[in-house]
Amino acid sequence: MSKCLLKIKIALIFLVVLSAMMYSCKKENTAIVKDYYSPESLAGSASFPIGTAYDPAVGVNDTAYERIVNSQFNSITSENDFKMYVIWPNGPGTDLNFTKADEVYEYSKQNNKRMHGHVLSWYVYEQTCSWISGFNGSNAEFETIYKNYVQTVVAKYKGKLSSWDVLNEAILDVVDITGNISIPTNGFQLRNDFHKRFLGNNYIYKLFKWTEEIEPNVDLFYNDYNLEIFPPKLDKVLEVLDDAKRQGAKIDGIGFQAHIVLPRITTYQTYFNAFKKVADKGYKVHIAELDIPVNGPLGLKTKPDLSDFSRQKTYYETIVKAYIDAVPPQLRFGITVWGASDKYSWYKQVPFWLFNKNDWPSLYDGSLNQKPAYFGFRDELKRSL
Ligand code: XIL
């Protein structure tokens, strides 16, 4: 009998130890794993996560690039593979394909990085997923299909991601050929896109609600561009998000894409005010897709020089400084750059870039060397420690 009791005791102790180990492993996967990184790396220099866009198809045979992503960043955002045009380009009647999304997720898991899901819904899908532009069923049919898509994707990664960009770029603005932004004649409005057409004016509420129903425990973000630079657009975003929240949506944070397109570079004070306005409302703040090119759409440089790179360094420093000054630690979701190097930057594909195929927007250059911007960015991050 006492032998049996002893066995039960041992088994109980074993169970307690095992579950404590499992708990700490689980925590480890979601915590900021700053301490795994060299104090001279980007991730090791900040008290909040530092991320990059990640695409397994990019730099796949480039071990130097992989080494940079592995050693400098403790958070990743899938660059494209969680978008509908990859998962479900042909829509109803076809299967969802998670092959590429899984690759990104597996990479984040194996390398102990936080993973931010990007993006559940985006008006651009209307161009990239022809089934949406060709849809001729009723609004109710569309809603059933779309809700099912969103919830299936969220369910597939339930408990695995830290967060989701639920919706991208809902507000229509006017950006002219020189890159200047202005308020549309009738004021800022929700885009007249498939969301509004099929799901109605309260579609923001619906998207966040559907996501929360499946995944109540992760941070849900709204993500947009020019918010850091153009206050009237940010105000409109806050208005529509407040509205969705009043209806009962859970919205935890705002992603400032921060594709700082020259000549729309702005001041410390403008960034500071934008981040503070959002933080004061209790939202987490994510600088979600940061990059700062040298030329902008009309720039003529075909080869940047040291003065371009030193200007770029100042621009990077300014936005990081404003972020740290304006956002209290508990609301700092992190800073994510949109790719680590000029070698693989998305600017090489941007079709509206007139004169240059590359605009050198990143922290590492085309040969994967650290640029002045890298050091400026990193040294400003250290102020958060
Ligand atoms: C971009 C990717 O970097 C490109 O590879 C792709 O061709 C188009 O999309 N805002 C966003 C990101 O929210 O998803 C976009 O990413 C860049 C603009």
Side-chain angles (χ1 to χ4, degrees):
M1 183 65 184
S2 70
K3 253 190 179 171
C4 178
L5 264 180
L6 188 68
K7 273 187 186 161
I8 292 175
K9 256 190 181 169
I10 291 173
L12 274 176
I13 290 169
F14 178 72
L15 270 179
V16 169
V17 172
L18 189 73
S19 53
M21 276 167 61
M22 281 170 69
Y23 179 70
S24 73
C25 277
K26 190 164 181 263
K27 270 188 77 179
E28 210 161 273
N29 277 335
T30 51
I32 304 173
V33 284
K34 171 173 111 39
D35 295 342
Y36 294 167
Y37 294 81
S38 141
E40 291 314 302
S41 68
L42 299 176
S45 297
S47 59
F48 47 82
I50 302 299
T52 180
Y54 182 78
D55 180 343
V58 165
V60 71
N61 295 318
D62 189 337
T63 46
Y65 185 75
E66 283 286 304
R67 212 174 308 123
I68 289 172
V69 176
N70 285 342
S71 61
Q72 297 286 334
F73 300 96
N74 53 2
S75 173
I76 60 165
T77 300
S78 162
E79 184 163 356
N80 289 310
D81 296 326
F82 277 58
K83 293 173 182 169
M84 185 194 268
Y85 84 85
V86 177
I87 293 176
W88 209 38
N90 300 317
T94 63
D95 289 338
L96 275 64
N97 184 342
F98 289 107
T99 316
K100 291 182 170 175
D102 278 345
E103 255 183 75
V104 182
Y105 170 66
E106 283 307 320
Y107 170 81
S108 76
K109 202 169 106 187
Q110 273 156 28
N111 292 283
N112 220 348
K113 297 187 193 300
R114 180 182 77 172
M115 168 138 192
H116 174 64
H118 171 83
V119 50
L120 288 170
S121 210
W122 191 10
Y123 79 97
V124 166
Y125 293 160
E126 190 154 359
Q127 285 114 55
T128 51
C129 305
S130 53
W131 74 268
I132 292 188
S133 47
F135 188 79
N136 55 16
S138 69
N139 288 3
E141 281 162 351
F142 184 88
E143 182 157 334
T144 307
I145 293 166
Y146 207 70
K147 178 178 180 186
N148 190 48
Y149 167 79
V150 168
Q151 294 199 323
T152 308
V153 175
V154 177
K156 159 90 177 152
Y157 295 102
K158 185 174 162 68
K160 296 179 169 169
L161 311 183
S162 62
S163 42
W164 273 107
D165 283 335
V166 173
L167 175 63
N168 234 15
E169 304 175 0
I171 301 299
L172 176 74
D173 55 14
V174 177
V175 180
D176 71 19
I177 192 170
T178 66
N180 280 316
I181 175 173
S182 56
I183 304 177
T185 341
N186 299 328
F188 278 118
Q189 309 287 338
L190 285 179
R191 279 175 204 279
N192 211 358
D193 61 5
F194 73 88
H195 292 108
K196 199 162 137 183
R197 194 155 67 245
F198 294 125
L199 303 172
N201 280 329
N202 64 342
Y203 78 83
I204 299 182
Y205 160 76
K206 288 180 181 172
L207 290 171
F208 278 89
K209 199 73 200 160
W210 298 340
T211 308
E212 185 199 352
E213 276 170 17
I214 304 297
E215 179 66 288
N217 296 323
V218 306
D219 288 328
L220 306 183
F221 280 80
Y222 173 82
N223 189 46
D224 211 336
Y225 60 87
N226 287 342
L227 305 182
E228 62 284 336
I229 232 156
F230 201 57
K233 184 170 180 186
L234 177 60
D235 289 343
K236 183 65 187 184
V237 164
L238 289 172
E239 181 194 312
V240 298
L241 296 187
D242 278 353
D243 207 42
K245 281 171 92 170
R246 256 194 308 276
Q247 292 171 66
K250 167 180 152 353
I251 307 175
D252 303 289
I254 295 188
F256 290 80
Q257 290 186 8
H259 295 294
I260 311 288
V261 179
L262 301 181
R264 290 203 306 276
I265 192 70
T266 194
T267 58
Y268 168 86
Q269 203 56 46
T270 307
Y271 291 136
F272 178 91
N273 293 347
F275 297 147
K276 182 150 189 333
K277 192 180 273 179
V278 165
D280 282 350
K281 282 178 155 282
Y283 289 109
K284 292 190 178 174
V285 181
H286 187 195
I287 297 185
E289 306 182 10
L290 178 63
D291 50 16
I292 310 181
V294 164
N295 272 320
L298 292 183
L300 291 169
K301 295 251 169 175
T302 50
K303 200 169 181 291
D305 55 36
L306 218 74
S307 71
D308 295 312
F309 282 166
S310 105
R311 234 185 348 265
Q312 183 180 53
K313 171 176 183 267
T314 316
Y315 298 155
Y316 269 99
E317 287 166 350
T318 308
I319 192 166
V320 175
K321 189 169 176 352
Y323 182 78
I324 293 171
D325 292 349
V327 185
Q330 71 279 11
L331 297 179
R332 292 178 195 154
F333 185 77
I335 301 183
T336 299
V337 294
W338 209 239
S341 78
D342 294 342
K343 187 170 180 185
Y344 300 114
S345 167
W346 74 299
Y347 273 92
K348 289 191 160 172
Q349 325 149 16
V350 176
F352 54 79
W353 237 239
L354 297 182
F355 299 118
N356 298 284
K357 282 293 169 209
N358 191 358
D359 209 346
W360 311 281
S362 314
L363 299 175
Y364 285 79
D365 69 17
S367 310
L368 301 179
N369 295 313
Q370 292 154 328
K371 288 161 66 179
Y374 171 93
F375 297 103
F377 182 75
R378 190 190 62 185
D379 292 348
E380 281 302 325
L381 289 178
K382 284 188 193 290
R383 292 176 53 245
S384 71
L385 294 177

